[in-house]
Amino acid sequence: MPNFNHPPIAQHQSPPSIKWDKYLINGELKTWNGPVERVYSPMGKVDQEGRVDRVFLGEAPTLDESVGLEALGAAKQAYNNGRGFWPTASATQRIECMERFLELMALKREEVSTLLMWEIAKNKSASYKEFDRTIDYIRDTIDEYKELQRRGSHIASKGGVISQVRRGPLGVVLCLGPYNYPLNETFCLLIPSVLMGNTIVFKPAKYGVLLLTPLMEAFQEAFPPGVLNVVFGRGRTLAGPIMKTGDVDVLALIGNSKSSNALASQHPKPNRLRQVLGLEAKNPAIVFEDANLNKAIKECVAGALSFNGQRCTALKLIFVHKNISADFVRRFSDAVDELKLDHPENNSDLTPLPEANKAEYMDEYVLDAKEKGASVMNKRAGKVNETAYFPAVLFPVNKHMRIFHEEQFGPVVPIVEYDKLEEVMDAIAESDHGQQCSVFSEKESTISYAVDNLVNQVCRVNINTSCQRGPDYLPFTGRKDSAVATLSVHDALRSFSIRTVVAAGTDQKNLVRDIVSSGQSNWMTTDYLL
Ligand code: G3H
């Protein structure tokens, strides 16, 4: 039953609906006359029973298998076994296309950010930030790509061998982005893979689809036909059959390991398939007894509940030492109850949830934990209406509860009381996840011990601060089920490419020199990119 103690979520004028019926294949924006998916916002008028009359935002095509395969065909043709225009284009040509895209994309800031707010209920400042961060990411990637090319322009002569080493593309990339960062995380895959000379079939996530439509003409105008093909519809209908052909060289996916494993297992030639994956996580926070509680509480609230906890980097399990747990839990629960849940246009801390039945799903975690001995510690917890859920703080959580192991990806915060640090270390070691963790203490010796014992369990240890992906120059990856390959401005270019050597004996010196000075090869060039 909805909790009516909450103030009603504000209503705002919605953006005009978008009836999108196009998809991009081989440089052509084709029209779809078949079934469509109607897109609704998580926001809308709420009735007495807490049902939400979700605002209609528009529709997008539900393409069929044959269109998915047509998109794959276009990407395959553009790649042409590494001999197509794009994989053999010079660095300057690729950069020109990317800069043109950047120019066109920058014009769509308002439209894309507004749709981000309305489709996935990301609050206003975070929506604009996602857009701006993506623009910066593209700029920085172009700079890093230039640097990579400069390094590849070097010709060495050593051990009787003249050699040049560059990074080459891998082939056809199937790219599937997540709903929580439908622009930024998707583009962190798309941009480096395109720039390295791969060709792409891209399918947006289930939620956060319309926000990509303002960019479709920019994709079409900036890149040569077949380089970037965009299809809309269900993963099962489109991605599965594409994978079964064996023509995909890279699976680039941000999501969960269940989907990536299911897809990858359909590829008939597993050694041909590279994977670049950002997957689920269960980042723990450890609050030591010598922590600064004000700081720890502030960071843990933000770390667990920014964007309602729908971040792969969110703090999803908080371990607190028993000597301070009572104080921590009380103050943490009060701080959570201070958060504002409202319409994203109001830039509130918490917003409605875009996924269907998410509130019920959160309640299942709470129920399971309560049955096994935990209590809900804050006053305002629970379902507010069909699409909104005020965060529940659960304490004391133990390993028999589902919330201890599973990624909640939403507004439920489990707190575990510990006595000996080894209990926490064991839990982290036994976990299937290994992305990041946060440690809270003011003491040099505590932090030193924690860092040394955690760095080989996770891929980033955050000291007195919550977990996060940024800044984007830092490597973003994980152990176990949390990731495959590394992303960052620097690393993603490497993840989507392979080192390739052209070599000759020193007796070929004159031939090599003539090739380079004639400028006939795009690859064997020593041109220094400015
Ligand atoms: O969903 C996972 C994102 O990569 C998290 O990024 O730490 O910048 O929110 P963030």
Side-chain angles (χ1 to χ4, degrees), residues 133 180-181 185 310-313 409 467-470 476:
R133 178 181 177 182
N180 65 334
Y181 281 87
E185 293 232 306
Q310 302 163 124
R311 294 162 60 231
C312 60
T313 47
F409 213 75
C467 299
Q468 59 169 0
R469 173 181 177 144
F476 180 58

Side-chain angles (χ1 to χ4, degrees), residues 21 106 110 160 184 213 270 279 299 323 331 360 381 397 417 424-425 470 482 491 509 514:
D21 60 359
E110 205 51 45
N184 183 261
T213 62
L279 303 171
E299 289 294 321
N323 290 351
R331 288 165 60 187
E360 283 76 25
V397 163
E417 180 183 84
V424 182
M425 289 300 173
S482 287
D491 293 285
K509 196 158 84 184
D514 291 348

Side-chain angles (χ1 to χ4, degrees), residues 342-388:
D342 207 345
H343 196 289
E345 290 265 14
N346 286 9
N347 217 16
S348 49
D349 312 300
L350 304 162
T351 54
L353 307 166
E355 283 180 284
N357 305 321
K358 188 74 177 231
E360 283 76 25
Y361 182 58
M362 294 296 105
D363 260 344
E364 283 173 25
Y365 280 123
V366 172
L367 203 64
D368 173 74
K370 278 167 82 175
E371 275 168 9
K372 292 165 186 162
S375 301
V376 174
M377 305 305 291
N378 56 323
K379 297 188 186 78
R380 301 179 69 209
K383 195 167 170 177
V384 173
N385 64 45
E386 190 186 348
T387 60

Side-chain angles (χ1 to χ4, degrees), residues 432-509:
D432 286 331
H433 309 99
Q435 190 199 64
Q436 303 190 12
C437 71
S438 292
V439 290
F440 294 93
S441 163
E442 294 290 287
K443 229 169 139 190
E444 196 178 302
S445 56
T446 308
I447 294 292
S448 306
Y449 184 83
V451 166
D452 287 0
N453 282 276
L454 286 163
V455 281
N456 297 333
Q457 298 280 0
V458 296
C459 290
R460 174 164 164 170
V461 178
N462 301 280
I463 302 171
N464 291 320
T465 183
S466 57
C467 299
Q468 59 169 0
R469 173 181 177 144
D472 288 322
Y473 64 81
L474 290 175
F476 180 58
T477 186
R479 297 168 187 267
K480 305 182 203 167
D481 277 342
S482 287
V484 174
T486 304
L487 294 170
S488 77
V489 169
H490 172 87
D491 293 285
L493 291 169
R494 286 157 181 83
S495 296
F496 285 105
S497 61
I498 189 161
R499 294 210 339 141
T500 310
V501 183
V502 171
T506 38
D507 60 328
Q508 302 298 308
K509 196 158 84 184

